[in-house]
Amino acid sequence: MSAHTFEPVRCDTCTPGRAARELGMLRGEFDLALQLGHVRTVPDEGGGGGRLVERAEIDRLRAQDGFPDTLRDRVRVVGTADGAEVMDISAGRFTRLARLGLLVPVKVYVNRYGAVVWLYLTEELKHFAAAAENTQLLKGRTPETLRGQLAEGVDLRARNWRMRQLGCLLRQADDPWARAGALAALLRPVEVADIVEDPYERAWVNRLRPALPGQTLAGTSFAHVVEQITTAQDTDEIEWLRSDLAHSVEEARALSPAPRPAARRTGPTTRPTARPIPPMARTVTAPVEPMPTPVRPTESADGPTETADGSTAGTTERTAGAAEPLVRAVTPHRIPGGGRAPERRHASSRVRPAPAPVPRFPGAGPASMRSTRRLRALLRRGTPRPAEVRASVVEPGRRSATGT
């Protein structure tokens, strides 16, 4: 092994949690020791906004006689029942003394039943009971003036607790802005806005505004109880806090103004000049194809006529003009028996003429126009034709081949 071992560099400060472990105290006891000033702290220069404990302060506390019991006794707290037992008085008398402001609570909390629990330092209660001038208050009859105040409903416990908290906060403040934030912690936001009218200064004061114990219950069913405890209620107390806040803000403004956002310097805006399009510039417009002209279908007796490619034929005039007389007539020849065969017309295979239009309503067209659909059906079936059909086919004045 090497003769030289690595030793970590000892830091000059440590966090409150580590300091509490090194001093052998619970976190609640250590926080109360910080509040009362028994343990000195320095601001966190790293930007965390908290407090740090120097190693030299921890060494100083460890060097005291009776460490750590002496330090823990200085921060030991008791309630009403235990406090009355420490002072050797009844709990009722203890409560009356606390309401009159003779006993100042150091901690407060709201239990699960919504009751406010006040805690007092054991060391202060012992000093009050040992003082000779307080013997009449502890054993004798309460003076008439004090009884009158109790009858009027005087309760100074919350106000004395706020003043003690304010003293602890002002002791930790390092500059006028921090003192202004400590004073604003006991006022309503409306009161702070009335005193600090500048929005940037008000935002800076609210940022430096510390949170009092119990204000974390905001939004719960006990929020209104906590607000009455942590916020100034009496008129004289509010006026005193407002006056101190205004004085602290004026002092802080003269010493160092509140931070403000940097002014942005923007140059004059220039609009881009529109450029004309060159006359021979290439475009991306696609060529426009001509749209086909819609054609109305031609109605006939058999319905709309379709062409060879499946499209419907146009109007009657267009069909009549397109269909040329491509029909050749066959010369009739004689048949045995002296008759003459009827003329047959063979349509060209190229173009089939469209039939003549049939009137929509019966009787609207010429009387000579007759349908030959029935005749064609009879010819295809091979059935004998009626007399009127044969008479219409055979030339007039000549007899049929059968001699009838």
Side-chain angles (χ1 to χ4, degrees):
M1 296 179 57
S2 175
H4 301 281
T5 58
F6 175 76
E7 294 181 2
V9 180
R10 185 177 180 181
C11 185
D12 293 338
T13 58
C14 59
T15 60
R18 183 176 181 84
R21 291 193 299 268
E22 292 189 7
L23 293 176
M25 304 175 64
L26 299 177
R27 185 56 189 269
E29 296 175 345
F30 183 79
D31 293 341
L32 185 57
L34 293 179
Q35 176 183 343
L36 297 176
H38 299 323
V39 180
R40 293 179 295 218
T41 59
V42 294
D44 186 5
E45 297 179 355
R51 310 286 297 184
L52 299 178
V53 182
E54 295 181 345
R55 287 285 180 180
E57 179 67 13
I58 296 177
D59 297 340
R60 183 186 68 84
L61 295 174
R62 282 182 171 181
Q64 293 179 356
D65 295 338
F67 175 84
D69 295 337
T70 53
L71 181 60
R72 299 187 64 179
D73 291 341
R74 296 169 66 182
V75 296
R76 182 173 288 110
V77 294
V78 292
T80 300
D82 296 338
E85 185 177 354
V86 169
M87 298 179 65
D88 194 15
I89 57 177
S90 63
R93 183 180 288 268
F94 183 91
T95 303
R96 290 192 295 271
L97 293 177
R99 290 179 58 186
L100 291 171
L102 301 177
L103 302 178
V104 181
V106 68
K107 294 182 67 175
V108 61
Y109 69 93
V110 182
N111 61 10
R112 58 181 178 177
Y113 303 107
V116 181
V117 180
W118 300 97
L119 300 178
Y120 307 85
L121 286 173
T122 306
E123 187 178 13
E124 291 183 355
L125 297 181
K126 291 180 179 179
H127 288 317
F128 185 87
E133 60 271 13
N134 298 329
T135 305
Q136 183 65 24
L137 298 175
L138 298 177
K139 301 298 182 181
R141 184 178 177 86
T142 305
E144 186 67 26
T145 56
L146 299 181
R147 289 201 306 267
Q149 295 179 7
L150 293 175
E152 294 176 358
V154 173
D155 192 351
L156 301 178
R157 287 177 293 183
R159 180 169 180 172
N160 289 338
W161 176 83
R162 288 193 295 267
M163 292 299 101
R164 169 168 262 175
Q165 294 294 322
L166 179 60
C168 297
L169 295 177
L170 292 177
R171 187 166 47 250
Q172 297 178 359
D174 300 325
D175 57 348
W177 285 115
R179 288 194 291 271
L183 292 169
L186 302 180
L187 292 172
R188 294 186 178 90
V190 179
E191 303 289 345
V192 178
D194 191 17
I195 298 299
V196 189
E197 299 180 356
D198 188 84
Y200 298 105
E201 293 180 351
R202 185 166 59 251
W204 188 244
V205 169
N206 291 331
R207 182 179 179 181
L208 299 177
R209 179 177 182 171
L212 295 178
Q215 290 183 345
T216 56
L217 298 177
T220 62
S221 57
F222 308 135
H224 65 285
V225 179
V226 176
E227 183 181 1
Q228 292 180 357
I229 296 174
T230 59
T231 307
Q233 302 295 328
D234 300 334
T235 304
D236 57 339
E237 181 185 4
I238 294 175
E239 293 298 330
W240 179 76
L241 291 174
R242 285 169 57 95
S243 176
D244 279 8
L245 177 60
H247 178 71
S248 298
V249 170
E250 291 179 1
E251 182 182 358
R253 188 186 298 117
L255 183 63
S256 59
R260 298 175 181 270
R264 297 182 179 179
R265 296 182 179 180
T266 58
T269 58
T270 57
R271 294 185 178 181
T273 306
R275 297 180 179 179
I277 301 177
M280 300 301 293
R282 183 178 298 177
T283 61
V284 294
T285 307
V288 181
E289 298 181 358
M291 297 296 294
T293 305
V295 180
R296 294 183 179 180
T298 304
E299 297 183 358
S300 61
D302 297 334
T305 305
E306 295 183 357
T307 59
D309 57 352
S311 60
T312 308
T315 60
T316 306
E317 294 78 2
R318 183 178 179 181
T319 305
E324 299 178 357
L326 299 177
V327 180
R328 57 187 181 88
V330 181
T331 306
H333 59 278
R334 295 182 181 274
I335 59 175
R340 188 177 182 181
E343 295 181 0
R344 296 182 180 179
R345 298 178 181 269
H346 300 276
S348 174
S349 59
R350 292 181 298 170
V351 180
R352 185 177 180 181
V358 180
R360 294 181 178 271
F361 304 99
S368 61
M369 185 178 299
R370 301 179 63 181
S371 176
T372 60
R373 185 183 303 174
R374 184 177 181 186
L375 177 60
R376 291 197 303 270
L378 292 175
L379 290 175
R380 283 194 296 269
R381 293 178 184 175
T383 56
R385 293 174 291 181
E388 65 237 26
V389 176
R390 290 199 303 269
S392 63
V393 173
V394 181
E395 293 181 358
R398 301 182 67 90
R399 294 182 179 180
S400 61
T402 58
T404 56

